[in-house]
């Protein structure tokens, strides 16, 4: 399997290099050159498999040039062995047609663990045979940061510099990051939004001299391996609900468009996906893009679902690549226009193509609270604000009555206790695996939201790559 950049100018890479590269050298995002397609029989054969076995079957074609099946199984067993639920990502039925796919049973209580536990092990494996040091630079609105830090704390040959927007993540999220005092973990609160943090990460990669000297790598969903691991649970859930004989719809609380793009990838691989519901909060650029073709940024509004307070969704570029007929040069020109004007208009044809699979919804704070209350009062489930946005959109979606709708429950309610309590009157306790969080010492730097300040910090506290990579 070769991976190509959405901007068309970077060299195609194999799985190991694409995992270590993160972002392509032309500023694009990597995607498989073509999708492996599973037949109905292959999908039917996933029925009854454990999560680890499903993960091996689904990811095998993507990693085959770098890892054999036994190696992949060992990595998946180690990654998913740390989850607190035997099913890893259990499905919970809410009513006759609505289901929650609980993705928060990992060590840091959010869906990010599903991919980042594996990515940490992939980095370790690939770095073990290379005389190089990797510097991860990441941006987080709260969950990627804690999951990446858990996965990489104390590992050899890797430093993590994680940028979060000061004051715009929950206390639990911040403490999950800043109380990890391993010497290779460097938390930075920036004076700005998640979008500012993400723009700094991309600018650091674009400074090719710096990126090469420090051998920058990515844990955000710009890294293809993140999405590859996330597409597994679409297969896992769908076969439990009748795939390949029955199509299933998924409602996905969306910010950076990574999770829902993984659903798109699963559909490209032959999974019968009836619809993907892109559920946004009031930071609704993706809803405007998909419903009206208006992909233009505004100001980020802080909400009770802070992990989705995002305007520029990195992975939308991956969908745009397909909507531009996989023409990297055309997309590169379109992205240059977007970066200059902060707006892009999707053509009617592009919107119609996207509408084949995607619908979207903007969920306001009242609708979000209502979904939390409905979940608690009608089904006994306490859900977090992000999952509530997905559930609200799922319940409002206009879909055939025989299509089951799975809402991705992306975070444990304890991560957002104040918002859950406001909506439901219930205050979720912290699960044992993160108890003691509020007694631990915190450590982080506070820096201006500029590339220069972040690079200086990396130079002062990081480790250069040491040797040049072979060409
Ligand atoms: C809890 C939670 N829900 C939903 C999202 C949105 O996911 P994505 O950025 O993949 O669209 C995030 C952040 O990414 C998150 O942390
Ligand atoms: N919501 C995310 C934002 C970063 O998303 P990613 O999936 O691209 O890493 C977060 O919690 O940090």
């Amino acid at each position: 399997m070769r991976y190509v950049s959405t901007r068309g100018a970077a060299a195609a890479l194999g799985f190991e290099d694409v995992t270590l590269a993160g972002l392509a050298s032309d500023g694009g995002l990597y995607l498989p050159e073509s999708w492996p397609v599973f037949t109905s029989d292959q999908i039917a054969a996933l029925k009854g498999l454990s999560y680890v076995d499903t993960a091996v079957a689904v990811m095998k074609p993507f990693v085959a040039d770098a890892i054999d099946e036994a190696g992949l199984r060992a990595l998946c067993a180690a990654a998913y062995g740390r989850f607190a639920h035997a099913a890893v990502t259990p499905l919970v039925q809410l009513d006759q047609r609505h289901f929650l796919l609980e993705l928060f049973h990992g060590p840091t209580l959010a869906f990010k663990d599903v991919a980042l536990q594996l990515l940490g092990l992939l980095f370790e494996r690939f770095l073990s045979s290379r005389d190089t040091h990797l510097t991860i630079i990441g941006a987080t609105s709260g969950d990627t940061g804690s999951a990446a830090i858990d996965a990489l704390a104390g590992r050899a040959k890797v430093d993590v510099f994680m940028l979060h927007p000061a004051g715009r993540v929950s206390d639990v999220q911040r403490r999950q990051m800043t109380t990890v005092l391993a010497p290779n973990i460097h938390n930075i609160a920036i004076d700005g939004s998640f979008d500012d943090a993400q723009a700094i990460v991309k600018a650091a990669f674009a400074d090719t001299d710096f990126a090469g000297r420090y051998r920058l790598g990515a844990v955000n969903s710009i890294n293809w391996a993140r999405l590859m691991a996330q597409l597994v649970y679409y297969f896992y859930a769908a076969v439990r609900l009748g795939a390949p004989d029955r199509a299933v719809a998924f409602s996905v609380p969306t910010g950076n468009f990574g999770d829902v793009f993984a659903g798109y990838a699963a559909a490209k691989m032959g999974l019968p996906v009836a619809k993907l519901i892109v559920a946004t909060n009031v930071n609704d650029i993706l809803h405007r893009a998909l419903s009206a073709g208006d992909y233009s940024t505004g100001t980020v509004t802080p909400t009770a679902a802070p992990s989705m307070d995002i305007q520029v969704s990195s992975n939308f570029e991956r969908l745009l690549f397909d909507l531009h007929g996989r023409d990297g040069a055309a997309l590169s020109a379109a992205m240059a226009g977007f970066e200059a004007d902060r707006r892009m208009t999707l053509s009617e044809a592009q919107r119609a193509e996207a509408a084949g699979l995607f619908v979207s919804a903007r969920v306001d704070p009242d609708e979000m609270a209502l979904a939390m209350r409905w979940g608690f009062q009608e089904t006994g489930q306490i859900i977090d604000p992000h999952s509530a946005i997905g559930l609200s959109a799922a319940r409002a979606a206009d879909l055939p009555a025989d299509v089951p709708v799975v809402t991705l429950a992306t975070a444990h309610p304890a991560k957002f206790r104040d918002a859950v309590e406001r909506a439901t009157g219930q205050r979720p306790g912290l699960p044992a695996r993160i108890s003691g969080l509020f007694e631990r010492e915190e450590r982080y730097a506070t820096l201006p939201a500029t590339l220069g300040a972040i690079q200086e910090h990396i130079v002062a506290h990081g480790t250069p790559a040491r040797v040049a990579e072979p060409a």
Side-chain angles (χ1 to χ4, degrees), residues 292-296 324 338 343-348 350:
D294 169 22
Y295 188 57
S296 60
H324 282 76
F338 175 72
R343 65 171 54 245
M344 182 190 288
T345 304
L346 269 60
S347 69
E348 271 309 310
Q350 288 170 330

Side-chain angles (χ1 to χ4, degrees), residues 358-390:
F358 294 99
V359 289
S360 65
R362 172 195 197 268
V363 176
D364 71 22
D366 290 342
E367 292 164 324
M368 179 188 77
L370 202 64
M372 279 195 270
R373 273 198 293 282
W374 181 84
F376 177 59
Q377 289 167 1
E378 303 301 323
T379 76
Q381 295 292 319
I382 299 182
I383 60 174
D384 98 288
H386 305 78
S387 311
I389 286 171

Side-chain angles (χ1 to χ4, degrees), residues 110-112 141-144 173 221 226 230 252-260 286 307-308 310 315 384 386-387 410-411 416:
F111 78 99
K112 311 287 179 164
S141 50
D143 289 331
T144 293
Q173 287 178 311
S221 54
R226 279 273 314 273
Q230 288 173 215
V252 188
T254 298
N256 227 357
F257 207 74
D259 213 5
V260 77
L286 290 167
S307 299
M308 289 160 59
I310 297 176
N315 292 286
D384 98 288
H386 305 78
S387 311
T410 49
F416 306 96

